[in-house]
Amino acid sequence: MISVSNLRILILDDEQLVRDELSEFLIDPNFQIFKASTPSQAFEIMDRNEIHIAIVDVNLPEMNGLEVLEKIKKDYSDIEVIMISGYSEMDSVIHSMRLGASDFFTKPFRLRDVEHSIERTKKFVNLNKSLQEVKRNYSIISKEFYEAMGYEIVGESRHMKNLISLIGKVAKTENTSVLITGESGTGKELVARAIHYLSSRKENCFYAVNCSAIPETLFESEFFGHTKGAFTGASDTKTGWFEAANKGTLFLDEIGDMQLNLQTKFLRVLEDRKIRKVGSNIEIPFDTRIIAATNQNLVDQSKEKGFRLDLYHRISSFVIHLEPLRKRKEDIPLLLDYFVKYFNRIMAKNINEIDEAVVRKLLAYEFPGNVRELKNMVERAVIICDTNKLNLSHFQMSQVREEESNHYHYPSEEILDLELVEKNCIIKALEKSNYNKSKAADLLNITWQSLDRRIKKHKIEK
């Protein structure tokens, strides 16, 4: 963002007295002043320097000030323009404002009024710079992602614009640990990959690990690697995840599910920045950026002794929270259109129209599975559709009554609601094990602590 200390102002007026009077009044360490007597001279200055504000007279040689204003807005769109004139003509005022001038003064004007106008205009310059940065980051992210992975980050909500800005900023700090929070299906791994591909580490490995799927017995071998013969079955030397992601990014998904005793080992490695393979006494330094993700509140977990607070502080130097889709519904039509085009392309379909009733129904739905659920819905709809238009029947939404429009129901044989599937699985495991949590956790292939947290999350009672 531009600060007061580097604001560059161009004064374009054919009267030397006006140029000198304005430049003398504005002489200040906070401003850098440029002067021009003709439009051609002014355009040369704009070509060579990043001008933020131009003060332009209406009556000029070569071309009039309104034509200069029009050219500035076309060829130098980041420059804000203040118009001045030797006589008051309402048509000139109206025309200049329509062309994008930020202010208009009639000679003789008070210098103090011009100064106040510059201060007001500076706010527009700052805002425009911020918006340009967001657009630039969005463009870079879209290009990098499309080239690397075949899809993009989509959204026009305030939350998504802020998210893109945060991604662009933290990507520049290649060693900062990032914690991404948000519900399942909000796109946490997508954000992690965006940070990686926008960083200086993009040429190296992005390694994704699901922490909830790592058994305690394999933790050290998987993360740190092992030497040949280190234990029964270790027939070859194995490279661990830290070593594999060296100079790159290690993405730890669902880090809240990591067992407490494993968190201690993990914290020590992050602090020392060294690993030791199982079966070896040699310490290997690593240079890996850590990006973690969770759908849980780790601070609350730390209060219940389910997550180490010191580990939380180690991985959360920079926190990015992803809002659920139900809180940014203005992005739903954009995502719908994007996914239809995406599946059109990979399935060689030609769907070019979406019934308005589909959009209305999707906007009314709460999306417990977030963006992932919407993507699955659209994929299924495109598969089913045999015409060039998607309608409610392709989404299996025709059976939903209007009074239930906020609660979309899939047919019983195809439940795609991830939260509901998880809850039902836990209930079945508990029933099978006669509500013995240890046995139920074994059936679900998760830890006892992870099961306990999920029972509380879903408010499951016996």
Side-chain angles (χ1 to χ4, degrees):
M1 184 175 286
I2 296 166
S3 63
V4 205
S5 59
N6 61 356
L7 194 70
R8 289 184 282 280
I9 303 170
L10 169 65
I11 301 167
L12 171 56
D13 197 301
D14 60 336
E15 295 182 50
Q16 185 172 346
L17 182 64
V18 175
R19 295 196 305 273
D20 291 344
E21 190 176 12
L22 272 170
S23 59
E24 285 174 17
F25 180 75
L26 295 172
I27 282 180
D28 189 286
N30 295 328
F31 300 148
Q32 186 178 356
I33 307 299
F34 299 82
K35 294 186 286 184
S37 58
T38 63
S40 57
Q41 188 182 358
F43 293 134
E44 285 179 15
I45 292 171
M46 284 184 268
D47 285 336
R48 294 195 306 267
N49 303 275
E50 184 185 5
I51 301 299
H52 302 131
I53 297 174
I55 301 174
V56 180
D57 188 21
V58 170
N59 297 298
L60 292 167
E62 300 179 349
M63 60 197 298
N64 69 49
L66 294 176
E67 291 172 321
V68 172
L69 169 61
E70 193 168 11
K71 182 172 173 58
I72 288 175
K73 288 300 171 183
K74 180 183 176 184
D75 298 338
Y76 310 89
S77 58
D78 290 344
I79 299 176
E80 295 295 333
V81 182
I82 298 171
M83 299 297 295
I84 55 177
S85 175
Y87 53 90
S88 178
E89 268 192 9
M90 191 52 64
D91 285 348
S92 294
V93 176
I94 293 171
H95 194 185
S96 65
M97 290 305 178
R98 282 178 177 168
L99 289 172
S102 61
D103 219 333
F104 191 103
F105 292 97
T106 304
K107 297 175 183 177
F109 47 79
R110 295 196 315 163
L111 292 171
R112 187 65 62 188
D113 290 339
V114 175
E115 183 185 40
H116 290 159
S117 177
I118 288 171
E119 286 300 315
R120 288 194 304 271
T121 305
K122 180 165 62 67
K123 294 178 182 177
F124 288 106
V125 173
N126 286 334
L127 178 60
N128 186 50
K129 285 290 178 186
S130 297
L131 290 173
Q132 291 302 319
E133 182 183 355
V134 169
K135 287 179 180 177
R136 186 164 54 252
N137 285 337
Y138 188 92
S139 175
I140 293 170
I141 289 171
S142 295
K143 181 176 180 293
E144 292 277 355
F145 250 66
Y146 190 79
E147 289 177 356
M149 305 181 68
Y151 53 88
E152 304 167 20
I153 291 180
V154 178
E156 283 292 332
S157 63
R158 181 182 297 179
H159 171 72
M160 289 303 294
K161 288 176 180 176
N162 182 55
L163 170 66
I164 289 164
S165 175
L166 292 176
I167 289 171
K169 288 174 180 175
V170 77
K172 296 173 186 175
T173 60
E174 63 173 35
N175 295 317
T176 301
S177 297
V178 181
L179 177 64
I180 306 168
T181 64
E183 294 179 7
S184 295
T186 48
K188 296 187 287 294
E189 183 171 344
L190 186 66
V191 170
R193 288 183 183 274
I195 294 169
H196 172 76
Y197 283 113
L198 284 173
S199 76
S200 58
R201 297 178 180 271
K202 65 181 178 181
E203 300 301 328
N204 298 300
C205 182
F206 177 91
Y207 212 101
V209 177
N210 188 333
C211 293
S212 63
I214 307 168
E216 182 177 358
T217 52
L218 294 178
F219 177 84
E220 291 188 69
S221 174
E222 295 294 338
F223 272 105
F224 314 142
H226 63 249
T227 60
K228 183 177 180 180
F231 50 83
T232 304
S235 55
D236 292 298
T237 296
K238 175 184 170 63
T239 299
W241 290 328
F242 273 106
E243 197 176 355
N246 194 38
K247 303 296 183 184
T249 302
L250 182 59
F251 174 59
L252 305 169
D253 199 11
E254 302 304 346
I255 195 168
D257 288 339
M258 185 182 287
Q259 296 176 48
L260 201 56
N261 60 321
L262 302 182
Q263 292 174 29
T264 306
K265 296 178 182 179
F266 191 72
L267 176 63
R268 187 170 63 249
V269 169
L270 291 185
E271 289 174 342
D272 297 342
R273 309 299 290 183
K274 293 177 183 177
I275 57 167
R276 185 183 297 165
K277 289 178 184 286
V278 179
S280 171
N281 292 321
I282 301 172
E283 288 189 328
I284 305 171
F286 64 87
D287 173 19
T288 305
R289 180 183 207 155
I290 303 297
I291 302 180
T294 182
N295 60 6
Q296 303 174 48
N297 188 320
L298 297 185
V299 175
D300 286 349
Q301 273 189 240
S302 70
K303 292 174 184 176
E304 298 171 3
K305 308 300 180 185
F307 197 86
R308 290 186 62 115
L309 190 59
D310 47 3
L311 177 56
Y312 170 76
H313 290 306
R314 173 66 64 178
I315 63 174
S316 63
S317 301
F318 194 92
V319 179
I320 295 178
H321 178 70
L322 301 187
E323 291 284 2
L325 190 54
R326 63 182 173 275
K327 289 190 178 179
R328 51 183 185 93
K329 292 198 170 186
E330 60 267 49
D331 289 334
I332 290 174
L334 289 169
L335 286 162
L336 174 63
D337 182 65
Y338 176 78
F339 288 137
V340 169
K341 289 176 180 175
Y342 174 77
F343 289 117
N344 254 346
R345 187 171 65 250
I346 65 175
M347 295 181 191
K349 295 267 187 143
N350 188 33
I351 299 169
N352 53 29
E353 193 176 353
I354 303 170
D355 194 309
E356 288 184 10
V358 171
V359 180
R360 286 197 301 270
K361 197 66 74 173
L362 292 176
L363 287 171
Y365 180 49
E366 290 296 298
F367 283 101
N370 292 295
V371 179
R372 185 189 294 131
E373 183 180 7
L374 176 58
K375 183 182 178 183
N376 291 343
M377 272 190 191
V378 176
E379 181 176 12
R380 185 184 185 285
V382 171
I383 291 170
I384 290 172
C385 183
D386 292 323
T387 66
N388 66 343
K389 182 176 182 179
L390 286 178
N391 56 52
L392 281 174
S393 65
H394 300 125
F395 287 80
Q396 292 191 341
M397 299 178 75
S398 57
Q399 297 172 20
V400 183
R401 299 192 304 273
E402 284 301 314
E403 63 270 23
E404 294 176 337
S405 60
N406 287 338
H407 301 281
Y408 182 86
H409 297 288
Y410 289 99
S412 58
E413 70 272 10
E414 184 181 21
I415 298 174
L416 298 180
D417 182 334
L418 294 175
E419 296 291 314
L420 186 57
V421 169
E422 182 179 80
K423 182 177 180 179
N424 288 341
C425 274
I426 291 170
I427 291 171
K428 285 180 182 178
L430 287 168
E431 288 173 349
K432 259 190 174 181
S433 61
N434 199 23
Y435 282 81
N436 182 310
K437 289 184 181 179
S438 295
K439 291 180 180 178
D442 288 339
L443 287 172
L444 294 166
N445 198 28
I446 59 176
T447 64
W448 184 92
Q449 293 94 330
S450 177
L451 174 61
D452 194 50
R453 285 194 294 270
R454 291 164 197 252
I455 287 173
K456 288 175 183 175
K457 182 179 79 171
H458 293 296
K459 299 177 182 177
I460 299 170
E461 296 177 0
K462 185 174 180 180

